[in-house]
Amino acid sequence: MTIPKLDYYNMGASVTAFSTTRHGGCSTDCSACQSKNYAEFNINRYCGDDEEHIRKNREALCSLLGISDDRLLMPHQVHLTKTARIDETLLALSEEQRRMALDGYDALMTDLRGVCIGVSTADCIPILLYDKAHHAVCAIHAGWRGTVKRIAEKAIAEMTAAYGTTPELVKAQIGPGIHLESFEVGDEVYEAFAQEGFEMEVISKKFQGNSSLFTYKWHIDLPECNRRQLLAAGLQPKNIKVSPVCTFQQAEDYFSARRLGINSGRIFTGILI
């Protein structure tokens, strides 16, 4: 069995936090586009990869984490802001029932030990939260739409309601995603952020357009947008870490939908108490 190559995050002695890379799996190529868009490690069932490859990759990850497959949970994300609470009732469901129950969520939270929750990204921003005081964790998928809708702030509010979380004590890790220099957007995306009250002079900048050297296009800093949301929710600056990895610039090691297209693998960013 191959061993997945993970990027680990130091969030505390009681948790294992990580992002997968493209290395250490058995996924190979995309028959539709004749390229190795899934190589090598992908566990996302919603992006066109071979089901047997996904099964083997999940098996390898679960073996590395020391958990059974039914304790590795990922939602079917839809770029909204709903958070699902993982409890014993949900874990008691069949595999198919669990998939249905987690359809339409972009964040998961739990206080159960031995359960790995995570989100799937390929340029969007993954965020992990750890509440040591209440032994609770959360994994968030923040694409630009979820970021505009302030999913990070809403997820922290959900943790506070569910577990009594005190934001000032929460540790956060913003994982690999597309960075400012690479995230060119249309005017409508810029306006969506502006209308929601984001500090545009801080989170946006104009660069020469990818398609023309004679035009300038807006770029948005998604990691910084989400870091500021965490601060607004009450987290301390010292407790927020940001990955230096830009998925677009480092697509040989991390999946990037902008580089590879939507028919490609996904990074899994997870956390386990």
Side-chain angles (χ1 to χ4, degrees), residues 38-84:
Y38 297 101
E40 298 172 342
F41 189 88
N42 170 65
I43 62 169
N44 185 303
R45 288 189 168 98
Y46 308 104
C47 61
D49 196 4
D50 181 84
E51 184 63 30
E52 181 61 15
H53 292 161
I54 293 168
R55 185 192 67 79
K56 289 181 179 179
N57 287 336
R58 285 180 63 97
E59 181 182 353
L61 180 58
C62 288
S63 177
L64 186 61
L65 297 175
I67 60 175
S68 56
D69 185 81
D70 62 343
R71 295 303 191 261
L72 178 62
L73 301 176
M74 176 177 62
H76 182 205
Q77 300 155 190
V78 292
H79 295 275
L80 295 177
T81 61
K82 291 172 63 178
T83 300

Side-chain angles (χ1 to χ4, degrees), residues 9-22:
Y9 307 117
N10 182 15
M11 296 185 70
S14 299
V15 294
T16 299
F18 63 91
S19 292
T20 61
T21 69
R22 294 187 63 174

